[in-house]
Amino acid sequence: MKLLDFVCTNALISDLQATERDAAINEVLDKLVETGTVPADLKDELVSMIIERENHGSTGFGKGVAVPHVKHERITKMQAAVGVSQKGVDFNALDKQPVYSIFMLLSPKDSPDEHLQAMENIFSNLQKDQFRRFLRQSTSADEIKDLLNEADTQQLPG
């Protein structure tokens, strides 16, 4: 499974404005609603589910990245959005540092294997210093998409 198999290329944000976790979650979900990826009437429920998940344990795992994720019965196809912040977001990350890159993954409730594959792909790329650096330096949706494409074709070293 490749990143571009589930990352919605219309939901790539290169200038995330939010500086607090909950606002950033809302901003990324707004983009998914705006692109028609997520039904508007589902947004508030997804926000609540993601924030509840974050309150149990932050998905900001350090190194400037967070991967908020949720499974929902009304999500019919796995979708992800990417938000890049130039200012940093207080995501209550494990290393207590700001988050600059957010991968938000929404999965169908009945596809746990696909969800795990997508999470593995996201995490394996986010473990690479060069991928994180290039993602953080992205200044347009096209640059983010190009980086995801390069990662999918294994052109980025660790």
Side-chain angles (χ1 to χ4, degrees):
M1 176 181 298
K2 297 182 176 194
L3 290 169
L4 290 176
D5 289 342
F6 57 88
V7 173
C8 177
T9 57
N10 292 327
L12 304 176
I13 306 169
S14 62
D15 61 344
L16 204 58
Q17 296 302 301
T19 56
E20 300 295 327
R21 180 195 72 187
D22 295 3
I25 289 168
N26 269 285
E27 189 174 340
V28 174
L29 267 170
D30 280 342
K31 189 70 168 177
L32 285 164
V33 169
E34 176 188 313
T35 62
T37 305
V38 171
D41 67 332
L42 190 55
K43 182 198 169 222
D44 290 341
E45 185 178 350
L46 289 173
V47 166
S48 294
M49 290 173 72
I50 292 170
I51 290 172
E52 182 179 333
R53 159 73 180 84
E54 291 294 329
N55 288 338
H56 289 295
S58 178
T59 60
F61 67 87
K63 301 181 181 182
V65 295
V67 187
H69 55 279
V70 69
K71 298 176 198 162
H72 194 282
E73 61 273 355
R74 284 188 53 203
I75 299 294
T76 56
K77 180 182 175 213
M78 193 165 35
Q79 295 288 340
V82 179
V84 176
S85 169
Q86 304 306 317
K87 299 174 235 163
V89 177
D90 180 3
F91 221 86
N92 194 27
L94 299 177
D95 63 359
K96 305 296 183 206
Q97 297 300 307
V99 162
Y100 296 94
S101 304
I102 298 172
F103 267 80
M104 181 179 289
L105 179 65
L106 308 177
S107 301
K109 200 164 191 113
D110 60 356
S111 300
D113 290 342
E114 277 187 7
H115 178 81
L116 284 176
Q117 286 177 5
M119 291 294 285
E120 283 178 23
N121 190 335
I122 292 168
F123 281 116
S124 70
N125 282 293
L126 289 174
Q127 290 296 334
K128 299 175 184 174
D129 292 336
Q130 190 170 359
F131 181 87
R132 286 193 315 274
R133 187 172 64 250
F134 286 163
L135 183 57
R136 184 173 171 183
Q137 293 170 351
S138 297
T139 58
S140 71
D142 285 340
E143 286 182 12
I144 297 171
K145 184 179 176 182
D146 289 347
L147 178 63
L148 298 176
N149 188 49
E150 286 175 28
D152 282 346
T153 57
Q154 301 298 315
Q155 295 174 359
L156 281 177

